């Protein structure tokens, strides 16, 4: 509530946009001012649902509105790059749903454009803005875990056949929707890996539906990661160090509990109400503070870190033979 109120323009009217708008209304002074959709009818319906006073039947019209302070891009993955580019070219501060693009090259392109224009740009990797992850950040910075040796992370969820995750034309498969969380966790804790190995399984139409990924850093740290859209998994994460192990309860990327287990047998717990996507407001408040102070990014999710994660995803896709429709 202390964050300076900004007028947000929301590009896209899907599931995540709906929850983002609800979180802003419930827990911040931010205003969902305008909504843009491919049709005026869709924009009107969404605006009425979230209480936005302005609706546009095109994304171009939304980003051209001088009253919009910041644009939130919440369209399908394969539209993140062009829609973020559209907003940056219109001179807007931009927050892009994860992943920021389909490749590291797309993320670098947006980064370069934002730097050229002196504009704010950030990937909406909302987990890193939660109070829980601030505790993890402090524990790592303070050396509470000792030397970190490994990260284990899993995220699997069952999706029915009508969900967009099954559509190859929308960059479907678990990697972009789910795998981005374990990969972000690993690269956030360990940094860029020196070695990436990936195996996967595929549906009859060739869509990747499950992946196992291992990373190794130059300091011999390991990450063992798993993601799937075939069923529900524990969705937990573990950071293992020489002095203690930190366990993040599932789903690890959402608000929830932490347990620190020392090698001496000591146990410390952090308890946090599991409010799910109602906590999307934390990243919005961070953006509002940075934009209001004229900054062009956030240290909680620097663009360099976004590019690092996407570069690993590029290598995973290369090894698994995943090629997006836009790349063919």
């Amino acid at each position: 509530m202390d964050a300076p109120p900004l007028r947000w323009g929301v590009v896209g009217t899907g599931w995540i946009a709906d929850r983002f708008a609800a979180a802003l209304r419930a827990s911040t002074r931010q205003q969902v001012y305008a909504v843009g959709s491919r049709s005026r009818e869709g924009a009107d319906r969404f605006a009425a649902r979230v209480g936005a006073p302005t609706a546009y039947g095109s994304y171009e019209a939304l980003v051209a509105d001088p009253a919009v302070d910041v644009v939130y891009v919440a369209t399908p993955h394969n539209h993140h790059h062009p829609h973020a580019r559209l907003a940056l070219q219109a001179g807007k501060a931009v927050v892009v749903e994860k992943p920021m693009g389909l490749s590291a090259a797309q993320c670098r392109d947006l980064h370069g454009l934002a730097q050229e224009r002196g504009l704010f740009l950030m990937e909406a990797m909302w987990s890193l803005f939660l109070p829980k992850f601030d505790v993890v950040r402090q524990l790592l910075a303070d050396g509470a875990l000792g030397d970190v040796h490994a990260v284990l992370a899993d995220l699997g969820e069952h999706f029915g056949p009508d969900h967009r995750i099954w559509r190859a034309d929308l960059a479907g498969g678990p990697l972009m929707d789910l795998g981005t969380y374990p990969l972000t966790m690993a690269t956030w804790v360990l940094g860029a890996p020196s070695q990436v190995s990936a195996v996967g399984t595929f549906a009859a139409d060739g869509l990747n539906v499950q992946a196992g990924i291992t990373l190794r850093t130059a300091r011999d740290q390991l990450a063992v990661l798993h993601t799937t859209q075939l069923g529900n998994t524990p969705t937990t994460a573990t950071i293992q160090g020489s002095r203690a192990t930190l366990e993040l309860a599932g789903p690890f990327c959402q608000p929830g509990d932490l347990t620190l287990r020392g090698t001496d047998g000591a146990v410390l717990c952090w308890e946090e109400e599991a409010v799910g996507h109602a906590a999307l407001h934390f990243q919005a408040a961070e953006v509002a503070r940075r934009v209001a102070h004229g900054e062009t990014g956030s240290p909680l999710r620097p663009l360099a870190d976004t590019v690092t994660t996407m570069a690993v995803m590029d290598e995973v896709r290369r090894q698994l033979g995943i090629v997006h429709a836009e790349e063919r």
Side-chain angles (χ1 to χ4, degrees):
M1 286 293 185
D2 291 337
L6 300 182
R7 291 165 297 194
W8 290 71
V10 179
V11 171
T13 58
W15 186 90
I16 192 64
D18 195 54
R19 278 146 186 81
F20 182 78
L24 262 60
R25 293 180 67 191
S27 302
T28 76
R29 293 186 295 145
Q30 307 304 308
Q31 181 187 10
V32 182
Y33 165 76
V35 175
S37 182
R38 290 171 297 176
S39 71
R40 182 58 187 266
E41 294 76 17
D44 285 339
R45 286 195 299 270
F46 189 87
R49 189 162 69 248
V50 303
T54 310
Y56 290 108
S58 75
Y59 305 128
E60 291 80 3
L62 181 139
V63 302
D65 187 336
V68 171
D69 296 316
V70 56
V71 171
Y72 170 61
V73 176
T75 45
H77 305 313
N78 55 329
H79 296 296
H80 287 179
H81 174 257
H83 290 158
R85 203 167 217 292
L86 182 73
L88 289 169
Q89 288 173 330
K92 301 299 185 185
V94 181
V95 181
V96 191
E97 254 310 320
K98 52 81 192 163
M100 181 174 282
L102 295 181
S103 65
Q106 288 191 350
C107 295
R108 292 188 190 102
D109 176 66
L110 294 176
H111 188 181
L113 181 58
Q115 285 186 314
E116 176 188 311
R117 304 288 180 93
L119 296 170
F120 181 92
L121 175 66
M122 190 189 82
E123 180 187 33
M125 179 49 72
W126 69 295
S127 305
L128 298 179
F129 302 90
L130 300 174
K132 177 173 77 174
F133 275 80
D134 187 55
V135 173
V136 177
R137 191 178 288 109
Q138 293 181 60
L139 291 171
L140 292 171
D142 292 345
L145 278 70
D147 296 326
V148 175
H149 296 306
V151 172
L152 312 176
D154 155 73
L155 196 62
E157 188 176 344
H158 174 266
F159 292 92
D162 295 331
H163 193 277
R164 61 169 174 77
I165 202 170
W166 289 97
R167 292 181 54 179
D169 62 319
L170 296 179
L175 192 60
M176 295 285 166
D177 263 286
L178 306 175
T180 185
Y181 288 108
L183 282 166
T184 293
M185 182 76 178
T187 55
W188 179 62
V189 174
L190 303 178
S194 58
Q195 182 180 346
V196 179
S197 300
V199 294
T201 58
F202 299 82
D205 63 357
L207 181 73
N208 173 251
V209 293
Q210 185 169 228
I213 304 162
T214 57
L215 311 179
R216 179 174 176 264
T217 72
R219 300 188 303 277
D220 284 336
Q221 300 161 303
L222 293 179
V224 181
L225 315 172
H226 171 255
T227 186
T228 181
Q229 65 192 56
L230 298 178
N232 300 318
T233 62
T235 68
T236 58
T238 301
I239 306 173
Q240 178 248 320
S242 59
R243 294 179 56 193
T245 295
L246 185 61
E247 301 169 356
L248 286 73
F252 76 87
C253 54
Q254 297 186 19
D257 299 344
L258 301 172
T259 303
L260 184 69
R261 301 184 187 276
T263 54
D264 60 358
V267 178
L268 291 173
C269 297
W270 164 271
E271 295 181 350
E272 185 175 86
E273 187 179 1
V275 296
H277 289 84
L280 283 166
H281 66 274
F282 285 108
Q283 67 181 359
E286 168 70 5
V287 171
R289 285 188 289 266
R290 300 292 172 182
V291 170
H293 285 90
E295 299 178 46
T296 58
S298 168
L300 300 185
R301 186 54 172 171
L303 288 169
D305 288 4
T306 294
V307 171
T308 294
T309 303
M310 285 304 308
V312 176
M313 293 176 75
D314 285 350
E315 177 58 18
V316 170
R317 290 199 301 117
R318 187 193 69 80
Q319 293 186 23
L320 296 183
I322 301 172
V323 180
H324 296 306
E326 291 78 5
E327 298 168 327
R328 294 195 181 99

